[in-house]
């Protein structure tokens, strides 16, 4: 039972990109949720960090958003457009500084309400065990995406603000991409790791054949010395 609770507590949200697709989740209902997903996953944010985030904390430099602790949201898809749209709907008479507010932006969103947003996303995506998606999901999703992209442990620790190497190692060890790479290496002797090989030849000794085996997604760079 305890193992199940731990597993449920640390669920990540898969397929979050689906909620950003056009004609999917209506901005009238999901705009704030989309912005929370963008900032929460980009920054591996804790729930209280999102609750305490203020409009003054975010610097819009045109091509990206710069946020304290410090992480950056770049102009991928329509993410910056969604953030700017959300900010533009903030009534001018609102005096409080927290970024995330209730529907009419009259009152700041509290920690309990913020922590339930991942379960709302899970429900929209029709995922099982909706109640198990807690505020920690955004942090876990961020670390898992980095691990799946092959990022090293030091970078994951720095990004999430972890002091413990053990925590970061857990995400790398449980990465599906890493497990797939290991399976390929064990079962068929292949690797998905990038390998760079530079061969310098002259016009007089260009080889007629160059053979490669068990390779996918290969880039060739041929330098001919005159």
């Amino acid at each position: 039972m305890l193992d199940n609770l731990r597993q449920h507590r640390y669920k990540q949200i898969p397929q979050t990109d689906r909620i950003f697709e056009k004609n999917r989740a209506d901005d009238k209902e999901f705009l704030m949720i989309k912005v929370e997903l963008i900032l929460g996953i980009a920054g591996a944010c804790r729930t209280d960090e999102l609750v305490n985030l203020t409009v003054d904390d975010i610097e819009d430099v045109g091509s990206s958003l710069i946020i304290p602790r410090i992480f950056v949201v770049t102009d991928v898809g329509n993410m910056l457009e969604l953030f700017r749209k959300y900010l533009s709907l903030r009534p001018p008479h609102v005096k409080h500084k927290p970024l995330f507010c209730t529907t009419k932006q009259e009152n700041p969103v509290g920690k309990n309400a913020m922590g339930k947003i991942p379960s709302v996303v899970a429900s929209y995506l029709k995922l099982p065990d909706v109640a198990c998606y807690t505020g920690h999901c955004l942090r876990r999703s961020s670390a898992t995406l980095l691990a799946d992209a092959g990022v090293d442990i030091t970078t994951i620790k720095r990004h999430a603000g972890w002091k413990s190497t053990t925590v970061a190692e857990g995400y790398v060890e449980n990465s599906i991409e890493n497990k797939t790479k290991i399976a390929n290496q064990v079962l068929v002797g292949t690797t998905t790791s990038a390998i760079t090989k530079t061969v310098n030849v002259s016009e007089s000794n260009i080889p007629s054949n160059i053979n490669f085996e068990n390779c996918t997604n290969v880039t060739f760079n041929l330098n001919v010395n005159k």
Side-chain angles (χ1 to χ4, degrees), residues 84-173:
R84 289 166 184 154
K85 179 179 180 180
Y86 176 72
L87 203 59
S88 71
L89 296 175
R90 190 180 184 89
H93 67 273
V94 172
K95 301 301 181 182
H96 57 70
K97 294 296 185 179
L99 174 65
F100 294 107
C101 305
T102 54
T103 304
K104 295 183 179 181
Q105 304 226 25
E106 297 292 342
N107 299 302
V109 174
K111 186 173 182 178
N112 290 337
M114 187 72 74
K116 292 178 182 178
I117 287 179
S119 67
V120 174
V121 175
S123 177
Y124 175 83
L125 296 174
K126 295 181 171 54
L127 301 176
D129 302 321
V130 168
C132 298
Y133 290 85
T134 66
H136 189 77
C137 292
L138 304 183
R139 195 162 165 78
R140 177 177 176 83
S141 297
S142 182
T144 302
L145 288 169
L146 283 177
D148 284 347
V151 173
D152 61 84
I153 291 174
T154 300
T155 301
I156 294 176
K157 281 178 60 180
R158 186 183 300 116
H159 175 67
W162 284 313
K163 295 181 180 179
S164 170
T165 299
T166 304
V167 174
E169 285 177 341
Y171 288 104
V172 174
E173 291 173 359

Side-chain angles (χ1 to χ4, degrees), residues 1-11 129 131-133:
M1 175 64 75
L2 184 58
D3 288 340
N4 287 335
L5 289 174
R6 289 196 185 107
Q7 180 180 2
H8 289 164
R9 182 185 175 194
Y10 297 117
K11 276 183 178 290
D129 302 321
C132 298
Y133 290 85

